Amino acid sequence: MYRYDNHDFALVRERVTQFRDQVARWQSGELSDDEFRPLRLQNGLYVQRHAPMLRIAVPYGMLSSTQLRALAHVARTWDKGYGHFTTRHNIQFNWPRIEDCPDILEYLANVEMHAIQTSGNCIRNITTDHFAGVAPDEIIDPRPLAEILRQWSTFHPEFAFLPRKFKIAISGTREDRALTWFHDVGLHLNLDHQGEPSFRVIVGGGLGRTPIRGEVVRESLPWQHILTYLEAILRVYNLHGRRDNAYKARIKILVQALGVDEFARQVEAEWAHLKDGPATLTREEYDRVKAHFGTPAYRSLPPEDAGFAARKAEDPAFARWVARCVHGHKVAGYAAVTLSLKAPGQAPGDITAIQMEAAARLADEFSFGEARSSHEQNLILADVEQGRLHALWLAARELGLATPSVGLLTDMICCPGGDFCDLANAKSIPIANAIQERFQDLDYLFDLGDLDLNISGCMNACGHHHVGHIGILGVDKNDAEFYQITLGGRQGSQARTGKVIGPSFAAAAVPDAVEKIIGVYLAHRHPDETFLDTFDRIGIEPFKNKVYEDRAHGRAKTATTEQPA
């Protein structure tokens, strides 16, 4: 993974010193709350419903074991003993004191971590595939270019005060696992006809209040020009993006207003002034960054470890975990492993200080001292020998990190919701816990197969509910918490948003509604058909009819009663 040089260390430490002075001036009254607000946000510090929240950057999801231990220390020393991994790889601490945040950031600077640009109207954390570098379907490892984008965007003076926040995702695989179609800019790495890396550039995607799938503005951009082309996109956005209405300020609204052809035309016109300029990437710079992502010291192993196969055959619980938490690897004899943060009764994405330290030990012992966070709010050990998977499973199970539910109904994405967030209309975590409690039977979950359920506490869609096979959105209904359900959303190369099935539900009715939706799927599915296959084949009406049948019967009964004799 990328390691800081003297320039990186100096930059981050100077930022901490600057922020420490800003906090001191706020405490003394020299800075008002309104003056301090943009300064703290530029350092990832929010004031939430009950306490401050500090968001720490995890660039493109990469974490060393040293950093995991440091995060555990932060959780134990300055918070309440846990952190929360978000859908953008970052980790949040929900209970720090504002006056302690400079100390936290100074401590984290020593392990090459910071909170720079984790908030504010700027370019946020660059995200990518959590299996980057090891995925069997990978065309190009996106991590060196993600790091180059991180360095380019950090403190970029022209883009520090954009109309709204700006998010970039990059994928280098055949199957998109980085949700690129729903980012302000999505980048698909591929090889051109000369075998050189090139980018498909997607602009104007996003979830939130107005979910929109992005549109391609350039099909094949040579890799050397990615920074200048992005600068052209951002300049057009900076010039024309709405600043009078926060709800219409994202680039997706501008692309829709101009039309993708006109937007692309303006980008090309701006790029003409930037192309081949000083920001053009050189092979030397690319190779310098790429060297940080060299191949680990893999051993030469057979494609299938005999002991691993035997363990699967003799231990059904281990085989079940393998089926859901162990993933393919481009190197023979190795596997990638998901450490699940979705144990029953635990808020999805939450991880205790004890678990962080344990994950660090597992990373050291089994995966070259590295881990990754995923946008599904789990941790990944990317380089595990097949022959050691059983030992890893035993260790992870003792730590509550081996729930075999990855890709299943209870592997939910869930935002912190109304328990923490000021913006939320409703709580998310109690809904997740109620669904986990309702669907505990692993045999049943395995029979259902792949089924993504995502929960957001408000229209900002931090829980990615729009792209869940089943999406749940918290809404305010006359000062009461209700939940709207969508069906048919999906990630991947065929990404699209789900469809609202009808009126919202009270919290207590949500598990029943989910159970009815699944009942329709089970009643109608063909052999080996997934939930999405069945939904696409039969449409939304059978689900809607089942979910609202009690309401329909109630209306029919009322109408019959009111008929004249």
Side-chain angles (χ1 to χ4, degrees):
M1 62 188 293
Y2 181 78
R3 303 308 306 267
Y4 280 15
D5 58 19
N6 290 335
H7 177 78
D8 295 309
F9 274 117
L11 183 148
V12 171
R13 285 170 176 157
E14 286 174 11
R15 185 56 177 262
V16 173
T17 300
Q18 179 191 61
F19 185 51
R20 187 181 295 281
D21 177 65
Q22 292 165 348
V23 171
R25 287 190 288 139
W26 169 73
Q27 286 180 291
S28 71
E30 184 179 346
L31 291 175
S32 68
D33 287 347
D34 287 343
E35 290 170 325
F36 182 56
R37 183 177 182 274
L39 302 176
R40 62 171 169 79
L41 287 174
Q42 290 170 4
N43 291 277
L45 180 59
Y46 292 74
V47 174
Q48 298 277 64
R49 182 160 299 196
H50 303 296
M53 180 270 282
L54 182 64
R55 181 181 295 146
I56 306 301
V58 183
Y60 41 91
M62 296 291 294
L63 283 164
S64 69
S65 58
T66 299
Q67 290 171 334
L68 277 169
R69 290 186 178 92
L71 293 172
H73 178 75
V74 170
R76 186 176 287 115
T77 305
W78 289 290
D79 206 89
K80 292 191 174 182
Y82 72 98
H84 174 78
F85 280 108
T86 76
T87 53
R88 290 195 54 76
H89 297 315
N90 299 322
I91 188 168
Q92 297 179 173
F93 295 103
N94 289 313
W95 301 97
R97 300 190 311 160
I98 292 177
E99 52 268 39
D100 288 335
C101 287
D103 291 338
I104 296 172
L105 294 175
E106 182 177 22
Y107 175 77
L108 289 176
N110 295 322
V111 295
E112 306 174 35
M113 300 192 81
H114 61 79
I116 297 167
Q117 293 180 205
T118 59
S119 179
N121 295 336
C122 56
I123 300 171
R124 299 286 188 90
N125 190 37
I126 311 298
T127 60
T128 190
D129 180 7
H130 43 276
F131 298 129
V134 305
D137 66 334
E138 187 167 84
I139 303 165
I140 301 169
D141 185 347
R143 293 174 298 169
L145 285 157
E147 173 58 28
I148 288 169
L149 292 179
R150 183 195 71 83
Q151 294 186 23
W152 161 78
S153 63
T154 301
F155 293 139
H156 196 302
E158 192 173 351
F159 308 129
F161 296 98
L162 295 167
R164 270 300 259 126
K165 57 189 175 183
F166 200 90
K167 299 177 180 179
I168 300 173
I170 178 172
S171 173
T173 51
R174 290 181 174 82
E175 180 62 29
D176 175 26
R177 286 182 290 271
L179 203 66
T180 54
W181 290 100
F182 289 103
H183 276 72
D184 297 288
V185 166
L187 300 172
H188 291 172
L189 267 170
N190 212 325
L191 296 174
D192 63 18
H193 62 281
Q194 295 178 325
E196 284 290 309
S198 67
F199 287 95
R200 172 195 282 166
V201 183
I202 301 160
V203 177
L207 298 175
R209 188 173 297 272
T210 309
I212 296 174
R213 177 183 159 114
E215 301 194 62
V216 177
V217 294
R218 193 173 180 97
E219 190 61 48
S220 184
L221 177 75
W223 65 273
Q224 298 94 332
H225 299 300
I226 186 59
L227 299 185
T228 55
Y229 198 80
L230 285 174
E231 286 194 0
I233 290 171
L234 281 152
R235 282 186 177 183
V236 173
Y237 173 48
N238 218 2
L239 180 64
H240 297 300
R242 297 280 297 270
R243 295 178 186 272
D244 61 327
N245 187 330
Y247 300 119
K248 297 182 179 180
R250 297 294 289 271
I251 195 173
K252 61 187 178 182
I253 303 300
L254 176 62
V255 173
Q256 294 298 308
L258 292 176
V260 67
D261 292 338
E262 173 59 18
F263 181 86
R265 186 197 67 77
Q266 292 195 28
V267 170
E268 292 290 330
E270 184 63 38
W271 187 47
H273 303 292
L274 298 168
K275 185 181 179 183
D276 299 321
T280 304
L281 271 177
T282 64
R283 175 67 67 177
E284 180 183 23
E285 175 63 7
Y286 176 77
D287 289 344
R288 179 189 73 83
V289 176
K290 185 180 179 182
H292 288 276
F293 301 93
T295 302
Y298 294 125
R299 296 200 305 144
S300 180
L301 299 171
E304 181 78 10
D305 182 87
F308 168 58
R311 289 284 193 182
K312 281 195 297 181
E314 67 190 23
D315 190 335
F318 175 58
R320 178 174 278 172
W321 177 76
V322 169
R324 279 292 153 184
C325 297
V326 177
H327 318 277
H329 200 289
K330 64 169 59 174
V331 177
Y334 283 82
V337 173
T338 297
L339 299 178
S340 172
L341 302 183
K342 312 293 174 62
Q346 174 179 311
D350 277 9
I351 183 169
T352 67
I354 292 172
Q355 288 176 321
M356 289 183 217
E357 289 172 336
R361 291 196 302 273
L362 296 180
D364 283 336
E365 185 176 354
F366 295 99
S367 193
F368 300 101
E370 291 181 1
R372 290 107 177 273
S373 57
S374 72
H375 82 265
E376 284 99 350
Q377 300 176 292
N378 290 312
L379 282 178
I380 311 296
L381 300 183
D383 298 294
V384 182
E385 293 181 14
Q386 285 184 8
R388 306 193 68 203
L389 285 169
H390 189 263
L392 171 59
W393 170 64
L394 291 174
R397 189 172 61 171
E398 290 298 313
L399 300 163
L401 297 173
T403 305
S405 63
V406 173
L408 301 179
L409 175 68
T410 54
D411 183 31
M412 289 172 277
I413 293 176
C414 180
C415 74
D419 285 305
F420 299 97
C421 182
D422 268 340
L423 301 176
N425 294 316
K427 295 181 175 67
S428 300
I429 296 170
I431 299 299
N433 290 341
I435 293 171
Q436 285 177 326
E437 187 174 347
R438 177 70 61 92
F439 299 97
Q440 294 186 39
D441 187 330
L442 278 174
D443 290 331
Y444 181 75
L445 292 173
F446 267 69
D447 180 60
L448 293 179
D450 292 337
L451 213 173
D452 294 343
L453 189 149
N454 299 349
I455 307 172
S456 297
C458 75
M459 284 299 295
N460 286 301
C462 294
H464 293 181
H465 67 277
H466 293 295
V467 294
H469 304 166
I470 301 173
I472 300 175
L473 166 66
V475 295
D476 185 310
K477 200 170 182 179
N478 298 322
D479 294 326
E481 295 182 1
F482 277 73
Y483 297 86
Q484 182 184 83
I485 293 179
T486 56
L487 297 180
R490 64 205 67 191
Q491 304 181 52
S493 302
Q494 304 302 316
R496 71 179 192 227
T497 58
K499 301 176 182 178
V500 177
I501 64 170
S504 56
F505 300 86
V510 171
D512 290 336
V514 172
E515 189 167 8
K516 289 178 180 180
I517 288 166
I518 291 170
V520 173
Y521 161 54
L522 294 175
H524 288 83
R525 70 176 176 180
H526 291 165
D528 299 322
E529 200 172 46
T530 66
F531 178 86
L532 284 182
D533 291 336
T534 301
F535 177 84
D536 290 344
R537 179 171 55 81
I538 69 175
I540 199 170
E541 290 302 318
F543 296 94
K544 183 186 297 186
N545 293 339
K546 182 64 177 177
V547 168
Y548 296 107
E549 62 182 354
D550 292 340
R551 298 189 191 187
H553 290 159
R555 286 194 299 270
K557 183 177 180 181
T558 301
T560 301
T561 302
E562 292 175 352
Q563 291 294 321

